[in-house]
Every structure is written in C-alpha cells, then in structure tokens.
C-alpha cells in the first residue's frame, strides 16, 4: 500500500483499492465501487468479518455500525480516509466551514449576535453596504424588523448571504482559519468569498441578481424534503416529468423539486410506501429545470463580473467534489438548475481534509444533522455557529472555545 497522505498514511485511493480487493475476495468476482455491499453477498456476518479485517489491517478506525452507514466501497473508503486523517492530525483543530442554504432563513435571524457582538455587527454592516445598492434596501433593517418578507426569494438570498458572510468573518477574525469550505445552494456564494474566489462586492451583486430573477418566475413550484433514498425518490417521480431531485443531502434525505400539483401526488405516493416527506418554506422549484428561464439572463449579467479560482479547498455541491477551476459565470449559471450534491461534497471534504470540526455557518442548524450522519460516530465534531435568533456573544464564545480560538482559547 502506498503512503500518499500526510504522515505517510494511506489516502482514500489506497483504502478504495484495499477494500475492492477484500470485497472481491468475499464475493469471488469483480465488484463495483458504487454498488451497495449487500449486492455482492455481504450479509451481516460477512460485514462483521470485513470489520475485523479493517481493524486488523489499520487499527480501530471505525465502529461496526459504520459499515451499514456507508454501504458502498467508495463511501466506506472515504470514511476510512477521514477517520485515518483525524488520527494522523491528532488534537490539532482543523475546522471546515459548511454554509447553509435557502430554507434556513427566519425573521430576526442572528439578531442576538447583532445586538451583542461588535465583530458580527461590523461584518453584517459591511455586507449590507455591498448589497444595498443592488437590492434597493438594507438587509440589516429587514432582518432586525422581523419582517415576514424575509421569505421572499429576492430578499431571502441576499439577506442569508449577508448573515453567512458575517458569521464566517467573525470566526476568521477570532483566528479560526477554515481548512476547506462548501456551501449548500445559495450558501455557495459565501463559501466562494471565504475561499478567495469572489470579492464581497461581486458576490453581493450576483446574489442580488439571482434572487431577483428567481422571484419573478411564475409561481406554482415548490420543494419537499423526503426520507427517501435516491432510488426510492426516482421511482416515486418516474411518472412525473415536472418533478426532479433537487438535493442529495444524506442517506435517506433527498429533496424533490418541481410543480406543486405533481409534488403533492409524489408525496401521496411516498406516504403509501411509508416514506415521510414535508413541504419546504420556499416559493419556487429551486435546483430544477423549472429554473431554466432564469439562466440566460443571469449568465449575461454574471459575465460582466470577475470570478477567480479558490485559494483554499472548495467543495462544490454542483459537482459533489473539490474543484480548483475559476468560479465564473458558467459555474454560477449551471448551479441554478443543478441538484445540490451536498452528501457527495461533504463526504469528499471529510475524507480528503480530515477536519476535526465541521462548523455550520448559518442562522440556525439545518445541515449539522446531515453532517453527523455522513461523518459517523467517530467523525469530526459537528457544531452550528448560530442556533437561532437568540444566539448571543456568550454562545459565540463557547463555539470559539471549542475551536481553540477567541478570548477563551488557551494561550
């Protein structure tokens, strides 16, 4: 086995090669990296034997339940690489920033921090100053007023971007330097600013354009969060051309996007199979072909603005992997209609960067449960930086302490 990772440790490719050989020996045939282990005849007893092989070869990296939580060779290889990376890096804090997307917004989001944290207030004001010329109003006033119009797409997206940017810059100002970033949907714009791919002014303009163009699409679209896996979701939507998968969030956490009437039929179909689902508080069918009318107009506007390459590892939820190419007009236009491949991007980030902490950057925890599910019981500590409108400077100090940063950090 080669030693490509830090400290001479095996990396994801090494684990993938080793697991492929082990599973092929059990199955007595060639195996597919992306097919469930159960398809190769690995039942419960055989999986426990595989767990024993892993422990004998690499030491106590995982627990037996992780074999069920990561059901393909590729998923398991990524998890092993992430766990091994944590072991190699030891006790050093390595924080990855994960930016929340649309649906996490609410009236007075992060208001407690605005009132009690000078740093957060400064950064939110800076973002507001970048946004207001394009939006025609202050997002700070919108947020603090408790106005329910925060759920209107044209206002939601720039306001959410401003909050995520301010939260991230507050952490960075206290010494928390992210080892990697990823963003869910509109959260990608704040991730791009933190990564160095977009200046704040450019991101503010892009987000304002994006929200405005989407707001004035015809109504009649929506999204539902389901407890279906992608296969079950595809089966339920097979007869509904107006519905597609809008997000792959985690195992049995798939979001469907499309026409409202068709989504209601799909919801009934899922319920008949015992699969729960719920409508999300969104105004349109985001990340679906129903967004295509927005694309040409947005791309024309975006082409006039610069987009660079990330300077720190950037995990794209458009492609579900790390990308190093410039985040330009083509990328942001493609992002509008593409499903959010959050699960793939998160798995890749966790395995390749081995963060000790995955920090959700947003006004309330939405992605943290998915991150914990993806990372498993021995994964990084997953913490939200803000738990709701009442989160204040004291809670922020606790987050900073957990990240060995801020005034409570050890000297």
């Amino acid at each position: 086995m080669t030693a490509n990772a830090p400290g001479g440790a095996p990396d994801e490719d090494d684990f993938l090669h080793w697991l492929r050989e082990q599973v092929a020996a059990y199955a007595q045939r060639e195996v597919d990296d992306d097919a469930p282990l159960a398809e190769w005849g690995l039942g419960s007893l055989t999986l426990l034997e595989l767990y024993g092989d892993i422990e004998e070869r690499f030491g106590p990296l995982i627990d037996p339940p992780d074999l069920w939580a990561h059901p393909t060779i590729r998923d398991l290889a990524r998890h092993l690489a992430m766990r091994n990376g944590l072991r190699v890096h030891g006790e050093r804090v390595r924080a990855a920033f994960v930016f929340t997307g649309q649906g996490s917004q609410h009236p007075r989001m992060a208001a407690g921090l605005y009132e009690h944290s000078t740093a957060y207030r400064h950064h939110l004001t800076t973002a507001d100053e970048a946004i207001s010329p394009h939006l025609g109003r202050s997002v700070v006033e919108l947020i603090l007023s408790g106005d329910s119009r925060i759920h209107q797409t044209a206002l939601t997206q720039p306001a959410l971007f401003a909050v995520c940017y301010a939260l991230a810059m507050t952490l960075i100002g206290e010494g928390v330097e992210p080892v990697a970033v990823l963003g869910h949907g509109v959260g990608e714009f704040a991730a791009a600013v933190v990564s160095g791919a977009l200046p704040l002014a450019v991101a503010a303009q892009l987000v304002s354009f994006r929200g405005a163009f989407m707001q004035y699409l015809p109504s009649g679209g929506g999204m539902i969060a389901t407890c279906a896996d992608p296969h079950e979701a595809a089966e339920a939507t097979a007869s509904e051309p107006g519905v597609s998968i809008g997000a792959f969030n985690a195992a049995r956490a798939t979001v469907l996007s499309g026409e409202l009437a068709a989504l209601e039929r799909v919801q009934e179909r899922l319920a008949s199979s015992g699969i729960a689902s719920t409508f999300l508080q969104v105004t349109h069918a985001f990340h679906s072909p129903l967004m295509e009318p927005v694309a040409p107009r947005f791309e024309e506007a975006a082409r006039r603005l610069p987009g660079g390459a990330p300077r720190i590892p950037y995990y794209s939820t458009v492609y579900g992997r790390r990308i190093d190419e410039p985040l330009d007009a083509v990328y942001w236009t493609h992002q509008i209609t593409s499903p959010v491949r959050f699960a793939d991007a998160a798995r890749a980030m966790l395995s390749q960067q081995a963060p000790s902490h995955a920090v959700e950057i947003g006004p309330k925890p939405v992605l943290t449960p998915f991150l914990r599910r993806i990372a498993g019981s021995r994964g990084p500590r997953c913490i939200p930086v803000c738990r709701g409108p009442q989160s204040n400077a004291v809670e922020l100090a606790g987050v900073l302490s957990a990240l060995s940063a801020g005034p409570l950090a050890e000297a």
Side-chain angles (χ1 to χ4, degrees):
M1 179 170 288
T2 59
N4 301 324
D11 63 10
E12 183 180 329
D13 287 339
D14 295 326
F15 283 114
L16 187 65
H17 177 75
W18 183 85
L19 282 169
R20 189 186 300 127
E21 288 188 343
Q22 293 298 113
V23 175
Y26 280 120
Q28 297 185 336
R29 53 180 167 152
E30 291 187 7
V31 294
D32 182 343
D33 296 342
D34 297 305
L37 293 169
E39 290 188 9
W40 309 113
L42 272 67
S44 299
L45 292 177
T46 310
L47 283 174
L48 288 175
E49 287 186 49
L50 178 61
Y51 169 74
D53 293 341
I54 292 170
E55 188 170 56
E56 182 179 354
R57 178 67 180 82
F58 303 108
L61 281 183
I62 60 173
D63 296 318
D66 292 330
L67 296 175
W68 282 267
H70 303 276
T72 71
I73 293 173
R74 191 179 307 278
D75 285 346
L76 188 53
R78 284 176 173 172
H79 188 63
L80 286 166
M82 181 269 293
R83 287 299 313 154
N84 198 56
L86 285 174
R87 183 169 65 182
V88 169
H89 290 297
E91 297 301 317
R92 285 189 293 141
V93 169
R94 292 172 50 80
F97 285 5
V98 182
F99 294 84
T100 316
Q102 194 162 347
S104 63
Q105 77 280 352
H106 55 269
R108 290 185 54 78
M109 54 184 173
L113 281 174
Y114 184 86
E115 293 161 0
H116 300 291
S117 168
T118 302
Y120 175 78
R121 185 163 58 249
H122 166 74
H123 293 301
L124 188 66
T125 300
T126 300
D128 191 27
E129 291 170 350
I131 291 167
S132 57
H134 312 293
L135 193 62
R137 64 174 300 165
S138 164
V139 295
V140 170
E141 292 177 2
L142 172 72
I143 292 167
L144 296 180
S145 69
D147 196 327
S148 63
R149 286 179 295 175
I150 194 71
H151 297 298
Q152 293 180 2
T153 296
L155 302 177
T156 298
Q157 295 190 9
L160 189 57
F161 165 76
V163 168
C164 288
Y165 167 83
L167 290 170
M169 296 308 296
T170 300
L171 293 184
I172 291 170
E174 294 289 351
V176 184
E177 293 292 338
V179 297
V181 296
L182 73 83
H184 194 291
V186 73
E188 281 208 278
F189 288 91
V193 173
V194 171
S195 77
L198 290 180
L200 172 61
V202 170
Q205 198 167 350
L206 286 173
V207 171
S208 298
F209 287 160
R210 188 182 191 269
F213 294 165
M214 289 181 176
Q215 175 74 42
Y216 297 106
L217 281 174
S219 58
M223 305 177 81
I224 57 174
T226 79
C227 295
D229 63 32
H231 177 71
E232 291 167 335
E235 280 190 337
T237 59
S239 61
E240 302 288 355
V243 177
S244 59
I245 294 180
F248 303 86
N249 285 332
R252 306 199 70 81
T254 306
V255 176
L256 301 177
S257 184
E259 300 167 353
L260 283 175
L263 285 172
E264 289 172 356
R265 291 192 294 270
V266 169
Q267 188 175 45
E268 291 176 1
R269 210 168 290 141
L270 290 170
S272 68
S273 300
I275 298 173
S277 64
T278 184
F279 273 87
L280 300 178
Q281 190 168 17
V282 296
T283 56
H284 293 83
F286 300 117
H287 300 287
S288 81
L290 293 183
M291 292 287 104
E292 286 176 359
V294 168
R297 188 180 177 194
F298 178 84
E299 185 171 11
E300 182 181 357
R303 283 191 183 281
R304 299 195 294 268
L305 300 173
R311 292 195 294 270
I312 65 174
Y314 183 96
Y315 285 81
S316 163
T317 48
V318 175
Y319 299 114
R321 57 176 173 80
R322 178 177 175 176
I323 61 171
D324 299 307
E325 56 264 31
L327 301 180
D328 55 14
V330 173
Y331 179 83
W332 296 116
T333 303
H334 185 44
Q335 192 231 28
I336 288 173
T337 56
S338 298
V340 179
R341 301 186 179 278
F342 177 78
D344 287 341
R347 288 189 191 104
M349 183 188 72
L350 293 173
S351 67
Q352 293 168 12
Q353 302 301 324
S356 62
H357 295 72
V359 185
E360 181 173 356
I361 311 290
K364 67 178 182 181
V366 173
L367 302 176
T368 298
F370 299 141
L371 288 166
R372 288 172 177 156
R373 196 183 311 176
I374 292 166
S377 60
R378 295 191 181 184
R381 183 178 176 187
C382 302
I383 54 175
V385 70
C386 185
R387 294 188 177 276
Q390 302 308 316
S391 287
N392 55 32
V394 174
E395 291 183 20
L396 176 62
V399 172
L400 291 169
S401 178
L403 299 171
S404 299
L408 300 183
E410 294 182 4

